[in-house]
Amino acid sequence: MGFSEIEGPMIQSSFWNFDVLFTPQDHPAREMQDTFYIHGNMPTEDIDNTVLNRVSDIHSKCWKYKWNVEEATRHVLRTHTTAVTLRYLAENKQDEARIFSVGRVFRNEKMTYKHLMEFHQVEGVVTGKDLTLRDLMGLQTLFYSRLGIKKVKFWPTYFPYTEPSLQSMVFIEETGKWIELFGMGIFRPEVTASVGLTGNVLAWGGGLERIAMIRYGLNDVRELYENRLSWLRSVPICRL
Amino acid sequence: MVTECSDLPVVSFPVRKIKEFFPGYDVNSIVDILPYIGLDIEYVDEDEIRVEYSPNRPDFSSYYGIARSLKGLLEIEMGIPNVKIIQSKDYVISVNKSVSHIRPFIVGLVAKNGSLDDESIRNLVGMQEDLHNGLGRRRAKASIGFHDLSKLEFPLRYDTVSSNASFSPLGFKEAVTIAEILRETEAGRKHGKILPSTKIFPVLLDGSDQIISLPPIINGDSTKINRNSRDLFVEATGTNLSLLEDVLAIMAITLSDMKFDIESVVIFYGKESIVSPNLQLRKFEGLELSYVNNVLGIKITPELALKCLKKSRLDGLIDGCKITCNVPRYRTDISEAIDLVEDIGIGFGIFNLDPSLPAYRFSGKKSRNTIISEKIRQTLVGMGLIENVNFSLISRTLEHEYVNRDIDYKDVVAVVGSKSEEHEILRSSLLPSLLRSLSHNIHEEYPQRLFEIGKVFSLEEDPFERWSLCSVIAHDEADYTEAKSIVQTLMGVGLGKELEAISAIIPTYLEGRGAYLYVADTKVGVIGEISPSIIENFKIRVPVASFEIDLTKLVTFV
């Protein structure tokens, strides 16, 4: 589909993981209960002053509190790969780009049959001229069709850094059920403005494990990480 | 953009109420349309529907809010919902200066002539909890109290008292001191730390000087609401006045929908006074129609855009190609023009948007790391090895069992407050996880030859996050020669590189059976036969040979 792969570190500063993505510093998601903070001090990288000031202004204006730069330097295990993709676009301004990333993300949760504290996220970001919400829906539909999924429904949802935001439901022939898969949206102007991007920047993505579970008929997500040889030896290598 | 998210709040919508609010609509058709106002259906049976809502819509914390929104989309009731506030002079609260450093603000309203039953009380309590956890940031920023108006006397005072002051909190028949409440009650232990002082505490006192509330901890038992309460007093206290007015606006409209008459309360902060609830509309001027159309990818007229706004329970005035929008106070989700665009999209109906495909002239590509990793995988699988995937976060025990000695934790990257001991540090090598994998498979057939490609972390290195390749070979005859043969073939055939091994003493490996690996005079990894004591730690019963390569370093050569 013309997407180029990029990757980045799993350890991110809160600045790139949360602040640039319009998540206020007192948001529940930033609490230790939900996010893995790195113990001790990590070497602080320099953040471009222009970006820093823009983010500080936006936070103070929109969330009505005093933005704290120290809070932004606390390092976390990234909670989404958006921290990486957005930063890439900020540092490589291209008029038209399609980039993607597949990487691990982390949530401080108890592991259960359907939740992991470390899992894989797939994410695509698109910049260009005159991109619209309908284009985003079109790209997602095309992506699903390449995975062999023909029936898709979209409805509104919420993410802190995109507006409008949609989630998608797909019909799985094997189970005869509709399930929720990827989320998507157009980055909020506050987000794109702080990194100096113009126009509508589209983003879509979601967890990879759920697709793997459907493909292999698993009911417990932890099985994907158990590495049981009896299973591994029976499953053919994944070929597209 | 991850949809596997942590718990979103859930609201129950009784089927009986759905039928009452939407007569003539089949319940199933309501279930089908609810997602189009942004709700996730969690559960459906003949008595109730349970839906999950997003934190940007705290007005959905009660099913009245959901019904209000749905009526708009179904064109049953459009535009800004009407809430009548009776301006009254009867209800006054005086705020003492002493609260200003503790919990500075209070707002309130009176709701009269309504009727409550178990179900509507559950609804109010559910709302209160969701608002506490969401907007209220676990009560730190805002908390709400419900009181039976007939059990208290106005005017009220919002003041501070010492920990010796006493009253009967909810659920207690006897009076207890504030000190005891903080120590002995669940609410006290859980929320007490929100209050900044251990000497003075904010309380709400009524005209007869009884304490009716200790915010944000607990209310008094004497004013508790029940099925017989017809008149209510609702207050909210916290650290940000604007936020409190938002929270109260949500309560006001909900109680109004529940057929209560809403009357205002006057609050004196010194000589200044405010009237509460504040339901003043917010105006957004100059929303360009071209902006709306460009974002959504549609071409609608100003008239249709206005209709879509009204279907989202907002309103406005057309001014050429622009719309001046009016937003009611309870809609805390609207702060910028883009939020209005989304609401117009929802009013238009997301089901009415046809996907389109933008043109793009460039071709895509994989990253260099991926291309090399895929080559490695292809080669190793071709040689009969099986790929493993393990977590980056491991336990300190696992790292210890591998290293076989006390670890110098200054180089280890750890996380804070993990919910599980199994996931406290970021692994500095792939070997422990692979050894554990072998130990979980001791009843499977041998030979077992595994490999993993993954990231490892160590503060000793720069960058401290690096890609690594590790392999373990386990069977009765596993030895250094076999491991060497595999890694040599991988390097030569797979990556076209010459590999050299130089003997060394490495603690992981049996003495005399370990070496460093070099490519073009640069150390890229290690290889050897795992020392028996480590094998024993993992309860593996066959010899294990292994190699580990720093891929981040290797990639610079390939």
Side-chain angles (χ1 to χ4, degrees):
Chain A
M1 280 171 66
F3 283 79
S4 294
E5 186 175 11
I6 56 148
E7 16 172 292
M10 292 181 189
I11 297 179
Q12 291 283 341
S13 63
S14 295
F15 184 76
W16 287 104
N17 196 73
F18 291 122
D19 292 280
V20 174
L21 290 166
F22 202 51
T23 308
Q25 291 181 332
D26 66 351
H27 194 278
R30 290 177 82 146
E31 277 172 37
M32 226 175 65
Q33 271 105 306
D34 289 336
T35 296
F36 284 117
Y37 280 90
I38 303 293
H39 188 266
N41 293 320
M42 288 261 103
T44 339
E45 33 159 350
D46 294 313
I47 303 169
D48 184 284
N49 257 334
T50 328
V51 183
L52 196 90
N53 288 330
R54 280 194 202 127
V55 170
S56 170
D57 285 342
I58 286 167
H59 274 244
S60 306
K61 174 173 168 264
C62 298
W63 301 112
K64 299 197 190 74
Y65 70 107
K66 192 162 186 313
W67 187 74
N68 182 349
V69 68
E70 246 114 61
E71 180 63 37
T73 58
R74 291 176 69 194
H75 281 75
V76 299
L77 278 175
R78 66 188 181 195
T79 57
H80 37 217
T81 51
T82 320
V84 172
T85 51
L86 191 70
R87 184 164 186 178
Y88 175 85
L89 288 178
E91 291 168 359
N92 297 277
K93 291 202 186 23
Q94 297 154 295
D95 289 329
E96 260 190 283
R98 286 189 183 187
I99 58 171
F100 80 95
S101 182
V102 180
R104 296 191 188 202
V105 297
F106 302 81
R107 297 283 164 90
N108 190 1
E109 286 199 10
K110 267 205 113 73
M111 276 217 297
T112 66
Y113 74 96
K114 60 175 184 176
H115 286 129
L116 296 172
M117 31 87 258
E118 182 178 340
F119 54 99
H120 288 78
Q121 190 187 346
V122 172
E123 182 178 323
V125 179
V126 181
T127 60
K129 202 164 174 295
D130 302 329
L131 292 170
T132 71
L133 188 65
R134 285 178 54 218
D135 289 334
L136 183 53
M137 293 162 80
L139 284 168
Q140 190 72 84
T141 307
L142 180 63
F143 177 80
Y144 284 145
S145 76
R146 297 275 173 91
L147 288 181
I149 294 167
K150 301 281 185 248
K151 293 196 207 154
V152 193
K153 280 197 285 209
F154 296 95
W155 52 61
T157 188
Y158 168 74
F159 299 109
Y161 39 88
T162 54
E163 185 92 353
S165 314
L166 301 174
Q167 67 188 30
S168 56
M169 297 289 276
V170 302
F171 187 73
I172 306 292
E173 301 290 341
E174 290 93 328
T175 57
K177 289 205 178 93
W178 285 91
I179 60 153
E180 188 184 313
L181 262 192
F182 287 1
M184 65 209 76
I186 300 181
F187 278 119
R188 289 192 69 103
E190 293 89 343
V191 174
T192 49
S194 52
V195 294
L197 290 171
T198 55
N200 297 326
V201 181
L202 313 178
W204 53 269
L208 203 56
E209 277 76 3
R210 192 176 288 193
I211 299 178
M213 281 170 73
I214 293 165
R215 180 132 185 201
Y216 296 112
L218 301 174
N219 289 316
D220 186 331
V221 69
R222 293 168 294 194
E223 284 182 65
L224 288 167
Y225 292 85
E226 263 163 33
N227 299 300
R228 269 182 302 118
L229 279 176
S230 54
W231 181 63
L232 288 173
R233 281 170 170 159
S234 68
V235 175
I237 190 169
C238 182
R239 261 187 239 290
L240 273 176
Chain B
M1 208 109 319
V2 198
T3 47
E4 0 255 336
C5 47
S6 41
D7 316 283
L8 289 179
V10 174
V11 174
S12 170
F13 201 159
V15 170
R16 178 170 63 78
K17 286 289 182 188
I18 295 177
K19 291 184 175 159
E20 183 189 315
F21 296 143
F22 302 98
Y25 281 85
D26 174 39
V27 174
N28 286 321
S29 68
I30 299 290
V31 172
D32 286 341
I33 196 147
L34 280 174
Y36 292 99
I37 53 172
L39 299 169
D40 270 348
I41 311 286
E42 285 284 292
Y43 177 82
V44 180
D45 71 18
E46 65 240 354
D47 294 319
E48 64 165 351
I49 297 174
R50 285 207 291 266
V51 294
E52 209 177 58
Y53 67 94
S54 296
N56 66 322
R57 290 300 297 265
D59 55 308
F60 284 167
S61 55
S62 121
Y63 58 77
Y64 283 93
I66 296 171
R68 189 182 312 131
S69 190
L70 192 55
K71 282 183 183 176
L73 191 62
L74 295 173
E75 300 186 41
I76 298 170
E77 242 175 63
M78 309 202 320
I80 292 175
N82 188 23
V83 182
K84 184 158 171 283
I85 311 284
I86 301 165
Q87 300 297 320
S88 166
K89 293 208 170 65
D90 297 337
Y91 308 109
V92 174
I93 305 178
S94 310
V95 180
N96 187 291
K97 250 197 341 241
S98 62
V99 300
S100 60
H101 298 299
I102 308 287
R103 197 168 175 84
F105 301 106
I106 184 168
V107 295
L109 61 79
V110 165
K112 280 170 139 170
N113 305 319
S115 67
L116 293 174
D117 58 17
D118 285 340
E119 198 268 301
S120 51
I121 292 180
R122 254 201 311 274
N123 177 41
L124 286 175
V125 169
M127 270 193 92
Q128 181 190 34
E129 197 177 305
D130 283 356
L131 290 172
H132 278 176
N133 289 332
L135 284 180
R137 299 284 194 260
R138 303 213 177 105
R139 301 195 193 192
K141 267 173 135 175
S143 59
I144 305 159
F146 296 114
H147 304 266
D148 186 320
L149 188 68
S150 67
K151 305 272 172 50
L152 57 88
E153 262 178 57
F154 271 85
L156 306 182
R157 269 192 305 131
Y158 183 44
D159 203 336
T160 53
V161 292
S162 73
S163 60
N164 291 332
S166 62
F167 68 106
S168 307
L170 262 179
F172 284 66
K173 287 297 163 210
E174 310 281 301
V176 285
T177 64
I178 290 178
E180 279 169 305
I181 291 174
L182 290 171
R183 241 185 4 243
E184 314 283 323
T185 66
E186 196 188 318
R189 283 195 298 267
K190 196 168 173 199
H191 307 293
K193 32 186 153 32
I194 293 170
L195 292 170
S197 164
T198 49
K199 301 241 170 39
I200 56 170
F201 301 90
V203 289
L204 191 55
L205 303 121
D206 85 335
S208 66
D209 247 14
Q210 64 160 340
I211 293 176
I212 61 169
S213 175
L214 170 66
I217 297 169
I218 199 166
N219 277 354
D221 196 76
S222 59
T223 57
K224 120 175 127 210
I225 63 172
N226 57 49
R227 272 173 302 189
N228 300 318
S229 307
R230 285 186 48 81
D231 302 329
L232 311 176
F233 164 58
V234 182
E235 38 86 2
T237 61
T239 54
N240 183 304
L241 184 58
S242 176
L243 176 70
L244 290 179
E245 289 181 333
D246 289 344
V247 166
L248 199 67
I250 295 169
M251 292 309 316
I253 192 169
T254 307
L255 287 163
S256 170
D257 283 352
M258 287 167 75
K259 307 273 192 292
F260 281 85
D261 297 323
I262 312 295
E263 291 190 31
S264 64
V265 171
V266 178
I267 301 154
F268 283 92
Y269 291 90
K271 294 221 177 60
E272 310 270 309
S273 69
I274 62 166
V275 175
S276 174
N278 179 354
L279 298 186
Q280 199 168 39
L281 292 177
R282 286 180 298 139
K283 236 190 187 53
F284 287 81
E285 301 203 331
L287 177 67
E288 304 251 4
L289 191 67
S290 56
Y291 184 49
V292 176
N293 285 328
N294 288 341
V295 169
L296 298 175
I298 53 181
K299 276 196 180 60
I300 59 173
T301 61
E303 288 72 26
L304 182 51
L306 181 59
K307 182 172 182 197
C308 293
L309 267 179
K310 289 184 179 185
K311 284 171 75 171
S312 279
R313 306 311 308 258
L314 305 169
D315 211 327
L317 283 168
I318 298 175
D319 178 14
C321 302
K322 297 195 199 164
I323 306 180
T324 298
C325 305
N326 289 318
V327 176
R329 190 67 196 252
Y330 78 92
R331 290 296 300 271
T332 55
D333 58 305
I334 312 241
S335 56
E336 300 293 326
I338 192 68
D339 301 302
L340 294 164
V341 172
E342 185 182 69
D343 271 274
I344 291 175
I346 290 175
F348 183 80
I350 300 297
F351 41 78
N352 285 327
L353 292 175
D354 283 324
S356 56
L357 262 184
Y360 190 64
R361 55 209 163 102
F362 302 116
S363 53
K365 58 177 163 60
K366 295 181 189 172
S367 75
R368 194 146 180 276
N369 281 338
T370 298
I371 293 170
I372 292 171
S373 299
E374 283 184 359
K375 194 95 186 82
I376 294 174
R377 276 190 187 98
Q378 217 176 35
T379 312
L380 290 176
V381 169
M383 287 197 266
L385 279 80
I386 292 184
E387 185 173 10
N388 264 203
V389 179
N390 287 295
F391 293 120
S392 316
L393 281 168
I394 59 173
S395 64
R396 293 175 194 273
T397 324
L398 186 59
E399 185 96 352
H400 174 89
E401 276 177 352
Y402 146 61
V403 180
N404 213 27
R405 56 181 158 83
D406 290 320
I407 303 159
D408 188 353
Y409 279 105
K410 76 164 172 29
D411 293 325
V412 165
V413 186
V415 294
V416 177
S418 173
K419 292 206 169 106
S420 165
E421 263 172 6
E422 292 297 307
H423 307 116
E424 290 193 316
I425 60 176
L426 288 165
R427 55 187 179 170
S428 58
S429 154
L430 300 178
L431 183 59
S433 312
L434 283 175
L435 289 173
R436 182 179 55 184
S437 182
L438 286 177
S439 75
H440 286 165
N441 283 298
I442 52 175
H443 299 296
E444 300 287 340
E445 243 181 71
Y446 286 93
Q448 295 178 2
R449 298 185 178 96
L450 315 176
F451 75 95
E452 181 170 5
I453 298 172
K455 266 197 165 165
V456 294
F457 304 77
S458 169
L459 291 171
E460 246 185 334
E461 306 282 342
D462 177 31
F464 48 78
E465 221 179 284
R466 317 172 69 74
W467 286 102
S468 178
L469 160 69
C470 183
S471 173
V472 290
I473 294 117
H475 60 90
D476 287 322
E477 259 95 61
D479 66 1
Y480 176 94
T481 312
E482 186 180 348
K484 178 103 188 299
S485 154
I486 290 173
V487 72
Q488 205 131 40
T489 310
L490 170 64
M491 289 295 141
V493 174
L495 300 171
K497 288 282 158 229
E498 280 270 335
L499 196 70
E500 215 192 316
I502 300 191
S503 238
I505 298 187
I506 302 165
T508 322
Y509 305 123
L510 200 49
E511 201 168 311
R513 312 296 285 162
Y516 284 116
L517 292 169
Y518 288 81
V519 165
D521 298 328
T522 308
K523 192 195 295 184
V524 295
V526 291
I527 182 171
E529 290 171 14
I530 307 281
S531 91
S533 56
I534 294 179
I535 294 182
E536 214 178 285
N537 282 342
F538 285 93
K539 311 231 181 332
I540 300 165
R541 299 175 206 152
V542 293
V544 180
S546 161
F547 64 84
E548 187 161 8
I549 308 264
D550 180 336
L551 286 182
T552 298
K553 207 175 270 179
L554 186 69
V555 150
T556 59
F557 292 108
V558 176

